[in-house]
Amino acid sequence: MNLDSTLRTEIQKALTALFNQTVEAVQLQPTNQEFEGSHTLVCFPLTKLSRKGPEETARLVGDYLVQHSGVVSRFNVVKGFLNLVLNDRVWLDVFQSIFVNPNYGQLSPNGEEIMIEYSSPNTNKPLHLGHLRNNFLGYSVAEIYKANGYKVHKVQIINDRGIHICKSMAAWQLYGQGENPENTGMKGDHLVGKYYVEFDKKYKAEIADLIGQGMSEEEAGKKAPIMQLAVELLRKWEQRDPETVALWKTMNGWVYSGFDATYKRMGVDFEKLYYESDTYLLGKEEVLKGVEKGVFFKKEDGSVWVDLTADGLDQKVLLRSDGTSVYMTQDIGTAILRFTDFPKIMGQVYTVGNEQEYHFKVLFLILQKLGFDWAKRCFHLSYGMVDLPTGKMKSREGTVVDADDLMQEMVDEAEKQTRELGKVDEITEEEALKLFEMIGLGALKFFLLKVDPKKRMLFDPNESIQLQGFTGPFIQYTHARIRAIIRKAESMDIVCTEADLKQVDALEPAERDALNVLSLFESRVKEAAREYSPAVIANYAFDLAKEYNKFYQNIPIFNETNPARLRFRIAFSKATADAIKKAMNLLGIAVPEKM
RNA sequence: GGUCCGAUAGCUCAACUGGAUAGAGCAUCAGCCUUCUAAGCUGACGGUUCGGGGUUCGAGUCCCUGUCGGAUCACCA
């Protein structure tokens, strides 16, 4: 049963009976902790129909609901707020509907398909902390959409071509001495990254040198030999020079095997990978079509532009005067290609940092101007940067937090703390290693996902490895605790049936509160999708765990002598554990049986 | 300079989209393990919601204005 809509219906009935009128949307909100009740009707807006003061209006509605609705057992009025106490029978009915539904939290298929892009790294260096936020976000939003009944296609576009990879190639050619992942034992993405850094160092030295010889800074930037080599490699690559293409393939290959290992540990996956080298030419044709249609215009030098001044933006170049594509061009092409590959998707979600907000605003506008309906259903999931306590991450200053290193540190720290607590005494070494991984990554993911994606966030390493309070491990721990109860119940052959639920006559306040939170799961799953926000789920999982812990601390389950009530509590505990697990899975976080 | 985003407890974050005395976690202090896992629970302390105006029965939330951060405005990606 849907408690919320049931209540709303009853309230509308009451308003009709009392005042012979209804309102479009009654304002129903959770009751503050300090007052008795679970749901509160805000009565200020109702004074217009009642033509009475807010308190009297509240009392009238409250009386009516107690007498006629069958769901409200009593109420209290504070100012214009009508706090409703529901029947325990109603709460048990709510629980029953959860109890009989093994898919609680998973909404039924809605027949819609959606594409979600995330990750999309450059191939010249390893992933860092910023990528972690991106990947965890994208993965989680995809899972949240699945839970909302969508068929989801996870994709990414890999920026495998361009000057950045040529820089690594140039440095490797000059100083690599045949190094590769095998003979160095280095992860491929890190090896390529090493040469990217190497490039930067040499480049800077060469510039300084040239400036010393009297050259201007701008000219030196262009004339530096290592940069000229990189540009030359890019030119050769575009001309399909076999040797250059071979080196490019080799080095990208190293990066991919490195990324694969990182993705695997992160626990993210993709249905299809798009490569920029395959798609970067695609947009050109569409742009030329747009010129014919008069959507774009050509300048005298041959460059093609779109004029967005009417939309409050600028003019934007789409093809260079030499006819080559820019970033925007290939994004137009890729977008169209994706809708060809997956004709049933109703829209696309781009998980990309907020520094590209302008870019996506322009992209979606252009797609609309080209006449693609689906452009309106494209969404830039824009997230804020991750800052360190020392400020912004800067590669130049070596403050970039490497994704692989960070994950390892989190797992090491989880191991240290877990061992200190003596939690590994009863499990095998193999189980223990799995547990450390689960806790370390759980802490990391939760830390990055608990904050509203739109907001810039601070990554404090000391805080991220905390295992108490508003953290992933706290929730994992609650799950493990409940599982211990379930195991015990199973060993005692305690099984709950619907008939047992019918025999429970009253609930403890702690049960009512916990049940209330449990009943909110599906509405939070919907909200999370609507807001594109895993933070909604993270907050919910925490609330649920916290509320259950209160119940757990308050009521020793196995002390209960009434059999129906005991069985209900076991079933309720199990349903809570299931919901915690599902919610955490929506965040990409696994939960342990023991910890 | 134009545009966009942000500012909430010492710190990190919430606040159901305009509703009650603004809530959590961390930190600090004080309690609770003979009972299902103390990575837990209970309490205390902590606020001019950046400043100033306005709209409203009612504003952290909406409007105007100022201050301070950040992003963006390339024939870069």
Side-chain angles (χ1 to χ4, degrees), chain A residues 298-313:
Chain A
K298 209 172 231 185
K299 286 193 177 171
E300 282 169 16
D301 62 3
S303 59
V304 175
W305 295 72
V306 61
D307 186 356
L308 299 171
T309 46
D311 302 281
L313 306 173

PDB file of all heavy atoms in Angstrom, chain A residues 298-313:
ATOM      1  N   LYS A 298      28.578  30.173 -42.997  1.00  0.00           N
ATOM      2  CA  LYS A 298      29.991  30.079 -43.363  1.00  0.00           C
ATOM      3  C   LYS A 298      30.587  31.472 -43.457  1.00  0.00           C
ATOM      4  O   LYS A 298      29.957  32.387 -43.991  1.00  0.00           O
ATOM      5  CB  LYS A 298      30.085  29.384 -44.724  1.00  0.00           C
ATOM      6  CG  LYS A 298      31.373  28.615 -44.939  1.00  0.00           C
ATOM      7  CD  LYS A 298      31.301  27.808 -46.235  1.00  0.00           C
ATOM      8  CE  LYS A 298      31.672  26.357 -45.986  1.00  0.00           C
ATOM      9  NZ  LYS A 298      31.733  25.533 -47.198  1.00  0.00           N
ATOM     10  N   LYS A 299      31.783  31.633 -42.903  1.00  0.00           N
ATOM     11  CA  LYS A 299      32.450  32.927 -43.058  1.00  0.00           C
ATOM     12  C   LYS A 299      33.322  32.904 -44.298  1.00  0.00           C
ATOM     13  O   LYS A 299      33.541  31.856 -44.896  1.00  0.00           O
ATOM     14  CB  LYS A 299      33.293  33.218 -41.810  1.00  0.00           C
ATOM     15  CG  LYS A 299      32.443  33.611 -40.611  1.00  0.00           C
ATOM     16  CD  LYS A 299      33.283  34.198 -39.478  1.00  0.00           C
ATOM     17  CE  LYS A 299      32.379  34.640 -38.331  1.00  0.00           C
ATOM     18  NZ  LYS A 299      33.139  35.007 -37.126  1.00  0.00           N
ATOM     19  N   GLU A 300      33.832  34.067 -44.629  1.00  0.00           N
ATOM     20  CA  GLU A 300      34.600  34.193 -45.861  1.00  0.00           C
ATOM     21  C   GLU A 300      35.807  33.269 -45.909  1.00  0.00           C
ATOM     22  O   GLU A 300      36.169  32.749 -46.955  1.00  0.00           O
ATOM     23  CB  GLU A 300      35.078  35.637 -46.028  1.00  0.00           C
ATOM     24  CG  GLU A 300      33.977  36.550 -46.522  1.00  0.00           C
ATOM     25  CD  GLU A 300      34.380  38.013 -46.434  1.00  0.00           C
ATOM     26  OE1 GLU A 300      35.593  38.280 -46.295  1.00  0.00           O
ATOM     27  OE2 GLU A 300      33.485  38.876 -46.513  1.00  0.00           O
ATOM     28  N   ASP A 301      36.418  33.049 -44.741  1.00  0.00           N
ATOM     29  CA  ASP A 301      37.614  32.198 -44.715  1.00  0.00           C
ATOM     30  C   ASP A 301      37.266  30.713 -44.769  1.00  0.00           C
ATOM     31  O   ASP A 301      38.141  29.865 -44.701  1.00  0.00           O
ATOM     32  CB  ASP A 301      38.441  32.495 -43.459  1.00  0.00           C
ATOM     33  CG  ASP A 301      37.676  32.199 -42.175  1.00  0.00           C
ATOM     34  OD1 ASP A 301      36.524  31.715 -42.270  1.00  0.00           O
ATOM     35  OD2 ASP A 301      38.225  32.452 -41.092  1.00  0.00           O
ATOM     36  N   GLY A 302      35.970  30.392 -44.844  1.00  0.00           N
ATOM     37  CA  GLY A 302      35.557  29.001 -44.970  1.00  0.00           C
ATOM     38  C   GLY A 302      35.158  28.347 -43.663  1.00  0.00           C
ATOM     39  O   GLY A 302      34.625  27.243 -43.650  1.00  0.00           O
ATOM     40  N   SER A 303      35.420  29.006 -42.544  1.00  0.00           N
ATOM     41  CA  SER A 303      35.034  28.422 -41.259  1.00  0.00           C
ATOM     42  C   SER A 303      33.512  28.476 -41.105  1.00  0.00           C
ATOM     43  O   SER A 303      32.851  29.351 -41.643  1.00  0.00           O
ATOM     44  CB  SER A 303      35.718  29.170 -40.120  1.00  0.00           C
ATOM     45  OG  SER A 303      35.373  30.533 -40.145  1.00  0.00           O
ATOM     46  N   VAL A 304      32.991  27.483 -40.351  1.00  0.00           N
ATOM     47  CA  VAL A 304      31.544  27.404 -40.165  1.00  0.00           C
ATOM     48  C   VAL A 304      31.190  27.736 -38.718  1.00  0.00           C
ATOM     49  O   VAL A 304      31.844  27.273 -37.785  1.00  0.00           O
ATOM     50  CB  VAL A 304      31.026  25.987 -40.520  1.00  0.00           C
ATOM     51  CG1 VAL A 304      29.544  25.863 -40.203  1.00  0.00           C
ATOM     52  CG2 VAL A 304      31.272  25.694 -41.985  1.00  0.00           C
ATOM     53  N   TRP A 305      30.130  28.512 -38.552  1.00  0.00           N
ATOM     54  CA  TRP A 305      29.748  29.006 -37.231  1.00  0.00           C
ATOM     55  C   TRP A 305      28.272  28.795 -36.957  1.00  0.00           C
ATOM     56  O   TRP A 305      27.466  28.692 -37.873  1.00  0.00           O
ATOM     57  CB  TRP A 305      30.054  30.498 -37.119  1.00  0.00           C
ATOM     58  CG  TRP A 305      31.510  30.826 -37.198  1.00  0.00           C
ATOM     59  CD1 TRP A 305      32.297  30.759 -38.316  1.00  0.00           C
ATOM     60  CD2 TRP A 305      32.356  31.251 -36.133  1.00  0.00           C
ATOM     61  NE1 TRP A 305      33.589  31.109 -38.006  1.00  0.00           N
ATOM     62  CE2 TRP A 305      33.647  31.424 -36.668  1.00  0.00           C
ATOM     63  CE3 TRP A 305      32.142  31.504 -34.786  1.00  0.00           C
ATOM     64  CZ2 TRP A 305      34.731  31.831 -35.893  1.00  0.00           C
ATOM     65  CZ3 TRP A 305      33.213  31.921 -34.006  1.00  0.00           C
ATOM     66  CH2 TRP A 305      34.501  32.081 -34.557  1.00  0.00           C
ATOM     67  N   VAL A 306      27.944  28.775 -35.687  1.00  0.00           N
ATOM     68  CA  VAL A 306      26.538  28.833 -35.303  1.00  0.00           C
ATOM     69  C   VAL A 306      26.366  30.109 -34.496  1.00  0.00           C
ATOM     70  O   VAL A 306      27.223  30.482 -33.693  1.00  0.00           O
ATOM     71  CB  VAL A 306      26.119  27.597 -34.488  1.00  0.00           C
ATOM     72  CG1 VAL A 306      26.911  27.459 -33.194  1.00  0.00           C
ATOM     73  CG2 VAL A 306      24.623  27.634 -34.180  1.00  0.00           C
ATOM     74  N   ASP A 307      25.253  30.778 -34.752  1.00  0.00           N
ATOM     75  CA  ASP A 307      24.993  32.031 -34.057  1.00  0.00           C
ATOM     76  C   ASP A 307      23.971  31.790 -32.954  1.00  0.00           C
ATOM     77  O   ASP A 307      22.809  31.512 -33.219  1.00  0.00           O
ATOM     78  CB  ASP A 307      24.455  33.070 -35.056  1.00  0.00           C
ATOM     79  CG  ASP A 307      24.324  34.434 -34.390  1.00  0.00           C
ATOM     80  OD1 ASP A 307      24.570  34.518 -33.166  1.00  0.00           O
ATOM     81  OD2 ASP A 307      23.980  35.397 -35.091  1.00  0.00           O
ATOM     82  N   LEU A 308      24.413  31.905 -31.735  1.00  0.00           N
ATOM     83  CA  LEU A 308      23.519  31.645 -30.608  1.00  0.00           C
ATOM     84  C   LEU A 308      23.231  32.915 -29.816  1.00  0.00           C
ATOM     85  O   LEU A 308      22.815  32.854 -28.666  1.00  0.00           O
ATOM     86  CB  LEU A 308      24.143  30.585 -29.691  1.00  0.00           C
ATOM     87  CG  LEU A 308      24.404  29.216 -30.338  1.00  0.00           C
ATOM     88  CD1 LEU A 308      25.222  28.335 -29.418  1.00  0.00           C
ATOM     89  CD2 LEU A 308      23.102  28.526 -30.699  1.00  0.00           C
ATOM     90  N   THR A 309      23.476  34.045 -30.449  1.00  0.00           N
ATOM     91  CA  THR A 309      23.283  35.306 -29.720  1.00  0.00           C
ATOM     92  C   THR A 309      21.814  35.491 -29.342  1.00  0.00           C
ATOM     93  O   THR A 309      21.514  36.075 -28.306  1.00  0.00           O
ATOM     94  CB  THR A 309      23.769  36.510 -30.556  1.00  0.00           C
ATOM     95  OG1 THR A 309      23.260  36.366 -31.883  1.00  0.00           O
ATOM     96  CG2 THR A 309      25.270  36.557 -30.593  1.00  0.00           C
ATOM     97  N   ALA A 310      20.904  34.959 -30.168  1.00  0.00           N
ATOM     98  CA  ALA A 310      19.479  35.072 -29.856  1.00  0.00           C
ATOM     99  C   ALA A 310      19.131  34.295 -28.588  1.00  0.00           C
ATOM    100  O   ALA A 310      18.142  34.574 -27.924  1.00  0.00           O
ATOM    101  CB  ALA A 310      18.634  34.567 -31.027  1.00  0.00           C
ATOM    102  N   ASP A 311      19.944  33.272 -28.276  1.00  0.00           N
ATOM    103  CA  ASP A 311      19.711  32.478 -27.072  1.00  0.00           C
ATOM    104  C   ASP A 311      20.554  32.984 -25.899  1.00  0.00           C
ATOM    105  O   ASP A 311      20.704  32.294 -24.893  1.00  0.00           O
ATOM    106  CB  ASP A 311      20.051  31.014 -27.346  1.00  0.00           C
ATOM    107  CG  ASP A 311      19.236  30.456 -28.491  1.00  0.00           C
ATOM    108  OD1 ASP A 311      18.070  30.126 -28.276  1.00  0.00           O
ATOM    109  OD2 ASP A 311      19.762  30.377 -29.633  1.00  0.00           O
ATOM    110  N   GLY A 312      21.133  34.121 -26.073  1.00  0.00           N
ATOM    111  CA  GLY A 312      21.916  34.715 -24.997  1.00  0.00           C
ATOM    112  C   GLY A 312      23.337  34.197 -24.922  1.00  0.00           C
ATOM    113  O   GLY A 312      24.053  34.463 -23.965  1.00  0.00           O
ATOM    114  N   LEU A 313      23.742  33.441 -25.943  1.00  0.00           N
ATOM    115  CA  LEU A 313      25.114  32.943 -25.963  1.00  0.00           C
ATOM    116  C   LEU A 313      25.870  33.612 -27.111  1.00  0.00           C
ATOM    117  O   LEU A 313      25.371  34.539 -27.715  1.00  0.00           O
ATOM    118  CB  LEU A 313      25.116  31.415 -26.110  1.00  0.00           C
ATOM    119  CG  LEU A 313      24.278  30.658 -25.061  1.00  0.00           C
ATOM    120  CD1 LEU A 313      24.194  29.178 -25.379  1.00  0.00           C
ATOM    121  CD2 LEU A 313      24.870  30.848 -23.665  1.00  0.00           C
TER     122      LEU A 313
END
